């Protein structure tokens, strides 16, 4: 189980590195426009994208076969 969490954290970390430029650009725009609500929207958007990405990687790796081996 710990291995699965480590895999998800590594996936999220890799995705954050690739999205860093977009995040910085949007945060700079929000600061220059003085829109604090935009910062919150960016944070919610990025967290949502990270969760969807982690689930998508699980789907590509046939997670269901592995999950069926767990005890109830």
């Amino acid at each position: 189980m710990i291995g699965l969490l480590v895999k998800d954290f590594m996936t999220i970390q890799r995705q954050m590195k690739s999205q860093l430029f977009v995040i910085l650009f949007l945060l700079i725009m929000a600061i220059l426009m003085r829109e604090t609500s935009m910062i919150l929207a960016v944070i919610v958007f990025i967290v949502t994208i990270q969760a969807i990405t982690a689930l998508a990687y699980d789907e590509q790796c046939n997670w269901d076969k592995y999950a069926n081996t767990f005890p109830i």
Side-chain angles (χ1 to χ4, degrees), residues 9-27:
F9 288 135
M10 289 176 66
T11 302
I12 289 171
Q13 182 182 17
R14 190 177 11 189
Q15 286 297 108
M16 287 298 289
K17 286 180 184 177
S18 66
Q19 294 177 355
L20 184 63
F21 295 112
V22 174
I23 294 169
L24 288 176
F25 176 71
L26 291 173
L27 289 177

Side-chain angles (χ1 to χ4, degrees), residues 41-72:
V42 167
I43 291 171
V44 169
F45 177 73
I46 295 300
V47 168
T48 304
I49 291 296
Q50 295 304 324
I52 291 171
T53 301
L55 292 173
Y57 278 119
D58 287 343
E59 286 290 324
Q60 289 177 350
C61 297
N62 295 324
W63 159 254
D64 296 334
K65 291 179 184 178
Y66 183 69
N68 289 334
T69 64
F70 288 149
I72 295 178

